[in-house]
Amino acid sequence: MSKFYCTFLFVLLGFYSTHSLAQNTASISGTIVDKNSQQLLTGISIVLEPGKQSAVSDSTGFFRISNIKPGSYSINFSAVSYIPKSLSNVVITTGNENTLSVELERSSQQLGEVIITGKRNTVKAATLENPLSVQRLTTEDIKANPGGNFDISKVIQSLPGVGGGAAGGSFRNDIIIRGGAPSENVFYLDGIEVPIINHFSTQGSGGGPQGILNVSFIEDVKLSTSAFDARYDNTLSSVFQFKQKTGNSNRIQGNVRLSATELAATFEGPISKKTTFLASARRSYLQLLFQAIDLPIRPNYWDFQFKTTTRIDNKTTLNVLGIGAIDEFRFAAPKTSTPDKLYAINSNPIINQNSYSIGASLKRLISKGYWSLAISRNTLDNTAIKYEDNENPDENKVTLNIRSNETENKLRFDVTKNLDDWKLSYGVVAQYVEFDNNFSQLVRPAITDGFGNTIQDEIKFNTNIGTNFLRYGGFIQAGTRILNNKLGINAGLRADANTLKNSDNNLLNQLSPRISLSYAITDKWNASASYGIYYRLPSYTQLAFTDTRNGNNIANPGKYIRSIHYVSGVEFLPNSATRFTLEGFYKQYSNYPVSVNDGISLANKGTEFGAIGNEPIQQNGKGRAFGFEFFAQQKLTKRIFGVFSYTWYRSEFTTSKGVYAPASWDNRHLVSLTMGYKFNNNWELGLKFRYQGEAPFTPYDLEQSRLNFLTLGTGIFNNALVNTQRLPAFHAGDIRIDKKWNYKKVTLDLFLDITNFYGSKSSGIPQYTFKRNADNTDFVSINRQPIKKDGSNAIPVILENIGGTVLPTIGFIVEF
């Protein structure tokens, strides 16, 4: 590691000493379309600030501005009959030419002062379809986020309503939105659904410790936490829409990013006059970092991503995209053994996981609108195994074995039309699902005493099943503005069903109505409200599980989980770069899966490695989440920018007895502050502070834990007291410093990113184990004899699970 840092500093000094050799210029280009019709727009004025350099879009909607001094700019777009728009904090460098895709919204002759207020779209995120509960992030927001490490899943934790769980979710990217489970979110990449966006994903849930998506591909991220567009199915908590940029049509260019944890390379450019491409690959070096700091875990991953865009003609565009990941999770004996390191080895599974999503979308402009056709396929191949002793694996002593493959083949078709003052959308979706699952888990081993008497019967879940079925659905949605365009109304209806025998094939049973209203009180104040019923199919692991114990053949129920949302809020836009929002929300759940064995809601599971849902389930659970959010955003003005959010909420789900208990991420308070300052000579400083209230956890059943620890490697929770205790609150601060040098067609960005820079300690769920001897080579017993299988002569110990390492990351990005 020291050699790496010395080399890094040498490169830094070398580039700094040559900085004055040349002053170089940069370029920016893009295409402008009508937001509603997607028609190419001619004659749009584009002006850069500062500097006032300008251009006008041509007959194909294309523009390009050259000879720009590198730096951060606001780019203003304006034309007669269109609402002006401004993009702030666009970083223009000599290394890569930014290629923008800009949508402008047509103004109405009747609008007047209430709707048109200069460059109001600079910071505004709401639309007619999503008037509230919506946030946006640009690529610069993601790249410059302190502690984010270019990981989109970590960056969004700065947004209101996002976060929760033990230790502030610092180790995993479990996306928890407004008190909902990590499994309740859906993700779309340029209109293609991508179920997996994290490495080492938990099957049936979705979270993982590291994101897959390449930030160099992303132009814009839109997060909706309610008032969902009716075209998106299977969501209960959020919809993520990742908009990828289009490859540069002028030249081949790219970037290489190297840090102590990864190496990534991205390339883009033209393939032909009509086709451009983006392609990237990334290799992890986390295993080297963990080896250096003597952690016993060895995560290792690769990921790949590509996109091609072909403009067949002025009315037809074809996009083809794909992402894939290869994940391996292993263990290694630590140089210095400690109880917590040895606990980590035997409490987690060994993982091999491969995933990919690939798809094509065709968009065709028609009279007063457009239609889109998307075909895609995604696969997760999940293998995990855990032994009684992971250090000395014995094939006869396996406690967890997962060999599972789930594949979805999807077809989506939708139409968007503009009919006078109405915007109408409708469409259908079909998915053919292929699921194979070979699963075995030892929940409790059989234990006898010295006389052969049974102390505990074995509990073991097994399933080996393959099932194929069809999912299908459709939607219609319409919106308009009335009362001199002050009142926006948007309403939608969708319905979904499937062909599984233990689920529901009747579309009418999953009718999902929704309506939202927005009213412009003044030119700066807006009030909005929404109501909606949303459905989600349970995980495939739950749907395919059949309980065969004791000669039974009981299939799990497959009801759609239902959530009703009530949301209202106000938005204040004092100027073009500042935004304040205040929203209250209430979510009501029904048909939530509950574990028969543990008696707790599956909403409290899914933040561990492996899979959830492979167990007997009953679907009589209920849940509720409610609270309010405050959000303040200042876009870049001259030198400073920042985001502040505060969320107070409650999240509770019922046990098998129908009693409400706090969810595992019921932290109550979420605070986030992110800010940045741009100095002269391309220096930039970023700061982030996060606070999350006390996370609930369940105490151990001491007797059951003693009986089962030697076999399972973990304690057994007392689920009769589910989440009745709480951990200390979490807080941490991150800092990031960037310095850029611009040369002729090359840009060097050196960065220092320090996670938890003031060394705050974070508490995870305590760990149950047995006392070890001084050199940690064996357990200690009360009678100096080997530990009995039932643990009766062991000395139980509860280990504090405290983290909080200051983690500096030094790296560089070379654009060329």
Side-chain angles (χ1 to χ4, degrees):
M1 294 292 290
S2 60
K3 290 182 179 179
F4 173 83
Y5 289 120
C6 288
T7 302
F8 178 88
L9 292 173
F10 177 80
V11 172
L12 171 61
L13 293 172
F15 272 94
Y16 183 80
S17 64
T18 58
H19 176 237
S20 61
L21 291 180
Q23 279 292 338
N24 299 285
T25 60
S27 302
I28 190 168
S29 60
T31 303
I32 308 173
V33 300
D34 184 289
K35 178 183 176 181
N36 293 323
S37 70
Q38 294 295 295
Q39 296 281 347
L40 300 169
L41 295 181
T42 304
I44 304 298
S45 173
I46 304 101
V47 179
L48 271 61
E49 292 183 358
K52 300 297 182 181
Q53 287 177 268
S54 63
V56 176
S57 61
D58 63 18
S59 60
T60 64
F62 179 81
F63 72 91
R64 189 166 189 261
I65 304 176
S66 302
N67 299 318
I68 305 170
K69 181 181 177 181
S72 296
Y73 290 84
S74 291
I75 307 178
N76 303 318
F77 303 86
S78 61
V80 176
S81 300
Y82 282 90
I83 299 175
K85 183 171 186 174
S86 180
L87 303 178
S88 68
N89 196 17
V90 179
V91 178
I92 300 177
T93 66
T94 59
N96 286 173
E97 177 181 299
N98 285 344
T99 303
L100 305 177
S101 297
V102 181
E103 295 181 340
L104 295 185
E105 187 174 3
R106 184 176 289 275
S107 60
S108 172
Q109 295 297 323
Q110 293 81 28
L111 286 183
E113 291 296 322
V114 171
I115 302 300
I116 299 179
T117 58
K119 304 176 185 64
R120 194 169 145 184
N121 277 10
T122 303
V123 72
K124 188 176 181 181
T127 63
L128 175 64
E129 297 86 357
N130 305 109
L132 74 171
S133 302
V134 60
Q135 307 292 342
R136 288 186 181 273
L137 292 171
T138 67
T139 184
E140 288 303 320
D141 295 330
I142 300 166
K143 290 179 180 178
N145 188 276
N149 291 317
F150 306 97
D151 189 339
I152 296 170
S153 299
K154 287 183 172 65
V155 173
I156 65 163
Q157 294 178 8
S158 299
L159 299 178
V162 183
S170 54
F171 179 64
R172 286 173 54 94
N173 290 339
D174 294 302
I175 300 174
I176 298 161
I177 307 286
R178 288 182 171 177
S183 60
E184 297 178 11
N185 313 299
V186 295
F187 312 97
Y188 286 82
L189 194 63
D190 289 343
I192 301 291
E193 186 176 4
V194 180
I196 299 169
I197 66 167
N198 287 301
H199 290 282
F200 308 103
S201 176
T202 301
Q203 189 176 12
S205 180
Q210 178 66 44
I212 295 175
L213 297 178
N214 184 349
V215 66
S216 296
F217 277 50
I218 303 300
E219 183 171 305
D220 179 81
V221 181
K222 179 181 177 182
L223 168 62
S224 301
T225 54
S226 193
F228 306 128
D229 193 311
R231 74 182 70 239
Y232 301 116
D233 64 309
N234 221 40
T235 180
L236 298 179
S237 281
S238 76
V239 176
F240 285 82
Q241 299 172 60
F242 300 101
K243 178 184 176 183
Q244 297 186 109
K245 67 181 184 180
T246 301
N248 191 284
S249 60
N250 299 314
R251 64 181 177 97
I252 299 290
Q253 61 183 31
N255 66 72
V256 174
R257 183 174 75 242
L258 176 64
S259 71
T261 60
E262 65 182 18
L263 171 65
T266 302
F267 297 90
E268 63 174 296
I271 296 176
S272 67
K273 290 184 178 180
K274 293 186 176 182
T275 303
T276 62
F277 80 95
L278 290 162
S280 74
R282 178 171 57 163
R283 173 75 162 89
S284 163
Y285 291 109
L286 277 175
Q287 72 275 22
L288 300 180
L289 174 64
F290 289 172
Q291 182 179 356
I293 60 178
D294 199 28
L295 288 180
I297 58 176
R298 296 291 185 269
N300 183 27
Y301 62 81
W302 289 80
D303 56 50
F304 313 90
Q305 192 168 340
F306 78 90
K307 176 187 177 181
T308 65
T309 301
T310 302
R311 189 172 295 280
I312 299 173
D313 55 43
N314 284 343
K315 292 187 176 183
T316 312
T317 303
L318 172 66
N319 287 318
V320 180
L321 59 86
I323 62 171
I326 301 171
D327 302 333
E328 296 178 352
F329 190 89
R330 297 286 185 272
F331 301 100
K335 296 175 184 177
T336 303
S337 294
T338 61
D340 56 319
K341 291 178 183 178
L342 296 174
Y343 179 89
I345 293 175
N346 282 312
S347 61
N348 291 294
I350 299 165
I351 299 172
N352 283 300
Q353 192 174 97
N354 300 320
S355 65
Y356 72 83
S357 297
I358 188 169
S361 62
L362 185 68
K363 179 184 288 185
R364 173 72 177 176
L365 304 186
I366 58 178
S367 175
K368 297 184 178 181
Y370 59 94
W371 57 257
S372 297
L373 173 67
I375 302 173
S376 64
R377 176 183 173 92
N378 56 263
T379 289
L380 169 65
D381 187 64
N382 186 32
T383 301
I385 191 166
K386 182 176 177 292
Y387 301 91
E388 281 192 19
D389 185 354
N390 280 337
E391 289 186 280
N392 302 289
D394 184 343
E395 294 298 330
N396 296 315
K397 295 182 178 181
V398 176
T399 60
L400 175 69
N401 196 352
I402 303 172
R403 286 178 171 81
S404 180
N405 181 280
E406 58 183 58
T407 298
E408 296 173 320
N409 306 278
K410 304 176 183 178
L411 174 67
R412 295 178 181 273
F413 179 78
D414 59 74
V415 179
T416 299
K417 299 276 288 184
N418 298 285
L419 306 174
D420 295 327
D421 294 328
W422 286 85
K423 183 176 182 179
L424 175 68
S425 301
Y426 54 89
V428 294
V429 59
Q431 302 184 34
Y432 182 67
V433 178
E434 305 166 90
F435 184 61
D436 293 296
N437 194 29
N438 188 336
F439 177 86
S440 174
Q441 182 180 16
L442 181 64
V443 180
R444 302 285 190 277
I447 297 177
T448 58
D449 63 16
F451 302 99
N453 299 316
T454 299
I455 298 176
Q456 175 177 272
D457 291 324
E458 180 183 84
I459 302 177
K460 191 173 186 178
F461 298 147
N462 289 288
T463 186
N464 187 358
I465 192 170
T467 183
N468 300 338
F469 65 99
L470 183 67
R471 294 170 56 183
Y472 46 90
F475 78 94
I476 185 170
Q477 181 169 279
T480 188
R481 294 188 184 276
I482 60 176
L483 301 181
N484 197 29
N485 294 283
K486 291 185 177 182
L487 177 63
I489 304 173
N490 191 70
L493 180 69
R494 75 165 294 120
D496 297 281
N498 66 83
T499 60
L500 268 178
K501 292 182 180 179
N502 58 329
S503 190
D504 200 324
N505 62 7
N506 188 345
L507 289 167
L508 297 180
N509 290 338
Q510 282 78 235
L511 282 178
S512 177
R514 67 221 42 208
I515 186 170
S516 59
L517 306 173
S518 59
Y519 186 78
I521 302 171
T522 69
D523 63 333
K524 296 181 179 180
W525 285 91
N526 296 281
S528 303
S530 70
Y531 165 85
I533 301 176
Y534 309 105
Y535 289 92
R536 181 178 178 88
L537 190 68
S539 67
Y540 297 141
T541 49
Q542 174 189 325
L543 292 170
F545 185 86
T546 299
D547 188 2
T548 57
R549 293 175 299 162
N550 303 320
N552 295 320
N553 192 29
I554 304 172
N556 274 339
K559 298 178 184 178
Y560 281 79
I561 306 168
R562 170 173 161 160
S563 181
I564 304 176
H565 289 205
Y566 306 87
V567 185
S568 63
V570 293
E571 178 184 55
F572 176 51
L573 302 168
N575 56 58
S576 64
T578 307
R579 177 182 180 225
F580 298 93
T581 65
L582 178 66
E583 291 187 8
F585 61 89
Y586 185 90
K587 300 195 294 187
Q588 184 177 23
Y589 294 90
S590 57
N591 300 335
Y592 222 101
V594 176
S595 167
V596 173
N597 184 66
D598 296 329
I600 63 172
S601 174
L602 256 63
N604 283 324
K605 298 188 177 186
T607 57
E608 63 277 347
F609 292 110
I612 65 168
N614 287 299
E615 59 177 312
I617 295 295
Q618 58 189 27
Q619 271 198 262
N620 59 352
K622 296 181 180 180
R624 59 194 180 198
F626 54 90
F628 69 88
E629 302 168 348
F630 173 75
F631 179 69
Q633 182 178 26
Q634 175 64 51
K635 286 287 189 178
L636 179 68
T637 54
K638 294 184 178 180
R639 295 186 181 275
I640 195 167
F641 57 94
V643 171
F644 172 81
S645 67
Y646 170 73
T647 304
W648 178 89
Y649 72 103
R650 296 286 302 272
S651 178
E652 302 171 323
F653 291 86
T654 59
T655 64
S656 58
K657 296 181 179 180
V659 178
Y660 278 97
S664 297
W665 39 84
D666 180 46
N667 297 67
R668 309 286 176 89
H669 303 279
L670 304 174
V671 179
S672 177
L673 171 65
T674 304
M675 60 185 300
Y677 189 86
K678 290 181 178 286
F679 297 90
N680 293 328
N681 299 320
N682 294 317
W683 285 92
E684 183 173 340
L685 172 67
L687 295 170
K688 181 170 70 177
F689 172 80
R690 292 174 59 222
Y691 172 90
Q692 297 191 7
E694 300 173 340
F697 74 97
T698 302
Y700 289 104
D701 184 319
L702 298 182
E703 182 58 32
Q704 283 293 307
S705 296
R706 181 194 287 263
L707 278 173
N708 295 283
F709 176 77
L710 277 187
T711 300
L712 302 181
T714 62
I716 304 295
F717 292 115
N718 184 355
N719 287 312
L721 301 175
V722 60
N723 289 334
T724 54
Q725 298 186 17
R726 292 191 175 257
L727 299 168
F730 165 86
H731 59 90
D734 308 320
I735 186 170
R736 181 184 173 98
I737 302 171
D738 281 79
K739 166 61 178 171
K740 292 184 176 69
W741 288 268
N742 288 282
Y743 300 89
K744 188 175 182 180
K745 296 186 177 180
V746 176
T747 297
L748 173 68
D749 181 355
L750 297 174
F751 62 86
L752 170 64
D753 198 329
I754 306 175
T755 302
N756 191 26
F757 70 88
Y758 62 85
S760 173
K761 300 301 181 182
S762 59
S763 297
I765 296 172
Q767 301 164 345
Y768 181 96
T769 185
F770 291 158
K771 185 177 180 179
R772 293 181 176 271
N773 57 22
D775 58 3
N776 292 298
T777 57
D778 203 354
F779 293 115
V780 175
S781 68
I782 58 176
N783 56 5
R784 297 185 180 181
Q785 299 296 314
I787 299 295
K788 295 181 180 180
K789 187 175 181 180
D790 64 2
S792 57
N793 63 337
I795 303 174
V797 174
I798 303 293
L799 298 176
E800 289 187 322
N801 185 8
I802 296 178
T805 302
V806 177
L807 186 60
T809 299
I810 298 178
F812 63 83
I813 305 169
V814 179
E815 298 178 359
F816 52 87

